[in-house]
Amino acid sequence: GTQRALSLSPRRHRERDPALPQGGASISSPMGKKAKAAKETTQERSQWEGKHPEPKSRVDERKVVATVKLAAPVCSLLEFKLECSPSTKISYVVDRIIDRHGGSISDLSVCVNRFHPEEVITGRDKTLEQCGVFGGECIIYYDFVPRAGALLQ
């Protein structure tokens, strides 16, 4: 940019001519710095070029078909299949169960693959993977405390 400006304004160009070493020094020193900086950036670029880590996919490709069942009494009407992945959180499954009951249930107890009071999942932010499901099929059992509603009062 500075060279073009010099060639366009003849008066400025003439003023610098008598003091050529000084003008030459001031012109070459910024250029020298620029060249050095350019060298550093090219060196840095070649050092890391092509070494970017693969972006981690946010979509879990692994598939799980969870059969969600009411623990007791056995009721096929309340059984449904949920297509998800090992990274699906228990809270998501709980929300789907509550949706199926029209929001009329609360205090859910959830177990994966077998229903046992000691195996009730307490952390809703746990994933199916953390509960031992890595793919394929699983059964999610649930039990709940009925919520008092308009019908029960």
Side-chain angles (χ1 to χ4, degrees):
T2 52
Q3 285 180 334
R4 191 177 291 156
L6 288 175
S7 63
L8 289 176
S9 61
R11 200 181 326 137
R12 239 192 209 161
H13 196 68
R14 262 186 249 120
E15 285 173 12
R16 286 185 189 228
D17 269 351
L20 218 141
Q22 194 183 25
S26 68
I27 289 170
S28 67
S29 88
M31 285 195 123
K33 282 180 187 170
K34 279 182 186 173
K36 196 175 184 183
K39 260 186 199 172
E40 283 174 18
T41 53
T42 53
Q43 215 173 27
E44 211 173 293
R45 202 179 293 137
S46 65
Q47 186 183 352
W48 299 110
E49 201 164 8
K51 289 188 179 177
H52 297 292
E54 282 298 310
K56 205 174 182 187
S57 176
R58 295 208 176 127
V59 180
D60 195 341
E61 299 296 330
R62 301 169 298 171
K63 296 281 173 244
V64 172
V65 177
T67 303
V68 183
K69 298 181 175 191
L70 180 63
V74 174
C75 177
S76 58
L77 294 171
L78 295 177
E79 188 178 304
F80 65 98
K81 291 199 183 299
L82 189 65
E83 287 188 19
C84 49
S85 70
S87 58
T88 300
K89 291 188 176 183
I90 296 298
S91 59
Y92 173 81
V93 177
V94 167
D95 290 345
R96 297 296 72 75
I97 295 167
I98 293 171
D99 290 348
R100 291 290 288 227
H101 285 265
S104 65
I105 60 171
S106 63
D107 298 326
L108 262 76
S109 300
V110 180
C111 288
V112 177
N113 287 330
R114 75 181 205 132
F115 193 84
H116 192 274
E118 290 173 16
E119 291 182 24
V120 170
I121 297 156
T122 51
R124 294 284 158 92
D125 57 343
K126 271 191 172 178
T127 62
L128 285 174
E129 192 168 12
Q130 289 169 318
C131 297
V133 178
F134 300 96
E137 294 184 15
C138 73
I139 299 172
I140 296 173
Y141 293 100
Y142 70 97
D143 204 359
F144 61 91
V145 176
R147 184 186 293 169
L151 292 172
L152 300 173
Q153 286 174 345

